[in-house]
Amino acid sequence: MQQRLDYWKAEPALLKAVLDLDTAARESGLDGGLVHLLKLRASQINGCSYCVDMHSREARRDGESEQRVQLVSAWRESPLFSPRERAAFAWTERLTRIADGPVEDAEYEAVSAHFSEADLVKLTVLIGVINVWNRVAIPFRTVHPVIGGESRAA
């Protein structure tokens, strides 16, 4: 696979604004480990290989275990995640799949039981911005680095 265009070169000011929003959301006071895992989960849902690669490596670099990183995609079936993390994963999935319909009161109440109003805004912006990155990276075919070997692609 080859990248279609270098979006940073094509529109640097706009991408800088997205990066600034991403930085603000990441540094807003949410737990750093949770930030990585939520970005990873949204990127898995969207099928963004570049972001899945980046956020899984960043999560491990910043102290997440390999097992927790591997099981993010199956968080419902794993005992490794706290009720707070589960609420955040559910919120991430719901907002990433926003086209499925309105966010129901029960979904809002479930996440609100674990996060303050301010943290809910932080989570929601964080989820929004990773979805923006996914929607930029996927159509322009951003290619993740190949680490420790050559690609097996034909």
Side-chain angles (χ1 to χ4, degrees):
M1 181 181 307
Q2 188 170 0
Q3 187 163 327
R4 288 180 167 151
L5 70 89
D6 181 346
Y7 42 86
W8 280 99
K9 183 178 176 185
E11 191 52 58
L14 188 58
L15 273 291
K16 173 74 167 69
V18 176
L19 182 60
D20 289 345
L21 180 59
D22 184 274
T23 300
R26 187 172 23 88
E27 296 177 355
S28 68
L30 293 172
D31 175 73
L34 182 62
V35 167
H36 290 310
L37 297 179
L38 297 181
K39 286 182 168 187
L40 175 57
R41 184 64 191 124
S43 298
Q44 289 170 336
I45 292 166
N46 288 322
C48 184
S49 66
Y50 181 85
C51 294
V52 166
D53 176 69
M54 177 173 53
H55 298 301
S56 61
R57 283 188 293 111
E58 288 177 349
R60 287 190 302 273
R61 178 199 69 205
D62 291 345
E64 281 296 338
S65 72
E66 181 67 27
Q67 187 178 30
R68 278 175 48 95
V69 170
Q70 290 293 328
L71 288 168
V72 164
S73 65
W75 62 269
R76 284 181 179 84
E77 292 79 29
S78 174
L80 294 177
F81 302 103
S82 70
R84 187 172 198 265
E85 290 169 326
R86 292 172 179 284
F89 283 135
W91 192 244
T92 300
E93 290 186 1
R94 186 64 196 90
L95 299 185
T96 298
R97 295 181 172 125
I98 197 74
D100 289 351
V103 177
E104 300 296 338
D105 289 343
E107 295 167 314
Y108 178 78
E109 290 165 9
V111 73
S112 295
H114 297 278
F115 292 92
S116 69
E117 289 181 350
D119 284 345
L120 284 172
V121 173
K122 294 171 187 178
L123 280 174
T124 301
V125 171
L126 178 77
I127 295 161
V129 77
I130 188 56
N131 276 281
V132 168
W133 284 125
N134 293 164
R135 281 153 179 76
V136 171
I138 292 168
F140 298 131
R141 293 186 179 158
T142 305
V143 180
H144 65 81
V146 176
I147 300 169
E150 293 191 22
S151 170
R152 294 182 186 192

